[in-house]
Amino acid sequence: MIELYYWPTPNGHKITMFLEEAGLHYRIRPVDISAGDQFKPEFLAFSPNNRMPAIIDTAPSDGGDPVTVFESGAILLYLAEKTGKFLPAGIRERKTVMEWVFWQVGGLGPMAGQNHHFGVYAPEKIQYAIDRYVNETNRLYGVLDRRLQDRAFIAGEHYTIADMAAYPWIVPWKRQQQDLAAFPNLQRWFDRVRERPATLKAYARGEPFSNRPSVTEEGKKLLFGQTAATVASRA
């Protein structure tokens, strides 16, 4: 039913977490981002930002032609609406879930991503940039820790797409130079989500690709040297 264009990154894991939780049949189409698969014309045809994940729903709820969706937050929302799962129907509860999904896609993900870039991948270690994103990641951990002080999950007492959106970006907390023990509410939530059977299955689906060679120097050029002109030339 779902063709998932995927690589085992935090954004990729969000979608396998949902698909495993919902029990949807899906097939992984690997997009090796270090090899430049994201620039192939057939992928750009439905993922114009040359980023994975993206999906093709071959059996949409309206019975029409296959539906394509790109951007991880949009995919989570689409799948939640398709299945009626992990997104409350009530206006107030739904609003809360959406606030925290957008908090992740607009804050935690980009800031942690820059943390990874300047701390791990950048050829020149710029201390100002490292400190900037390590500190901002720390601030966002604090926001989430306070949010979870009196709640089982981010949006309340029920597991939702807000939790699926945030969890994969906390998994690499050591690489982000954070101490999870300093955020006890966040750690409690993290351990609870990590132990869910669907989370274990989702991460296991990524293991065959995770064992491939890490980002090469050529891969870094593909990932971090993109301009409009270079993307157009590869398409």
Side-chain angles (χ1 to χ4, degrees):
M1 181 180 297
I2 303 294
E3 301 285 334
L4 171 61
Y5 289 78
Y6 163 94
W7 202 244
T9 69
N11 286 335
H13 291 311
K14 293 180 193 177
I15 312 307
T16 51
M17 286 175 68
F18 184 99
L19 293 167
E20 292 293 342
E21 289 281 357
L24 285 176
H25 174 69
Y26 69 101
R27 179 184 302 173
I28 286 178
R29 303 291 193 186
V31 180
D32 187 338
I33 56 178
S34 288
D37 289 353
Q38 68 273 35
F39 298 109
K40 292 180 177 179
E42 58 269 29
F43 182 66
L44 286 170
F46 60 91
S47 186
N49 195 36
N50 57 274
R51 295 285 191 275
M52 67 86 231
I55 65 168
I56 301 177
D57 182 358
T58 61
S61 57
D62 64 2
D65 293 337
V67 170
T68 65
V69 190
F70 72 100
E71 290 295 325
S72 61
I75 296 169
L76 286 176
L77 178 58
Y78 176 86
L79 292 173
E81 292 180 336
K82 173 184 175 71
T83 60
K85 296 181 178 181
F86 307 110
L87 181 63
I91 184 172
R92 289 171 175 78
E93 295 83 1
R94 180 185 175 93
K95 181 274 304 183
T96 299
V97 171
M98 295 309 300
E99 284 177 330
W100 287 97
V101 169
F102 280 95
W103 174 84
Q104 185 280 308
V105 298
L108 179 61
M111 296 300 103
Q114 293 299 323
N115 181 323
H116 298 168
H117 178 78
F118 285 104
V120 179
Y121 297 113
E124 179 184 354
K125 300 306 178 186
I126 304 171
Q127 196 59 47
Y128 173 84
I130 293 171
D131 292 344
R132 164 76 178 96
Y133 291 110
V134 167
N135 290 342
E136 179 61 7
T137 302
N138 184 269
R139 186 190 72 80
L140 292 167
Y141 274 43
V143 171
L144 201 51
D145 188 68
R146 290 189 297 275
R147 174 67 186 175
L148 290 162
Q149 183 172 356
D150 56 356
R151 296 173 179 84
F153 298 106
I154 293 174
E157 295 309 306
H158 300 288
Y159 188 64
T160 70
I161 58 173
D163 302 287
M164 299 177 203
Y167 173 82
W169 283 101
I170 304 297
V171 170
W173 56 271
K174 291 182 181 179
R175 185 167 66 175
Q176 296 166 9
Q177 302 183 52
Q178 304 301 316
D179 178 8
L180 203 57
F183 304 96
N185 303 310
L186 176 57
Q187 184 164 38
R188 170 183 47 78
W189 165 86
F190 179 83
D191 291 340
R192 176 176 290 180
V193 176
R194 180 180 58 186
E195 293 165 2
R196 293 177 71 90
T199 303
L200 297 173
K201 291 178 183 178
Y203 275 77
R205 291 297 299 267
E207 286 179 1
F209 312 107
S210 299
N211 293 332
R212 295 187 184 182
S214 58
V215 178
T216 63
E217 290 304 314
E218 185 61 28
K220 289 180 182 179
K221 294 177 183 178
L222 289 171
L223 288 171
F224 309 134
Q226 302 167 14
T227 65
T230 57
V231 171
S233 69
R234 295 189 185 106

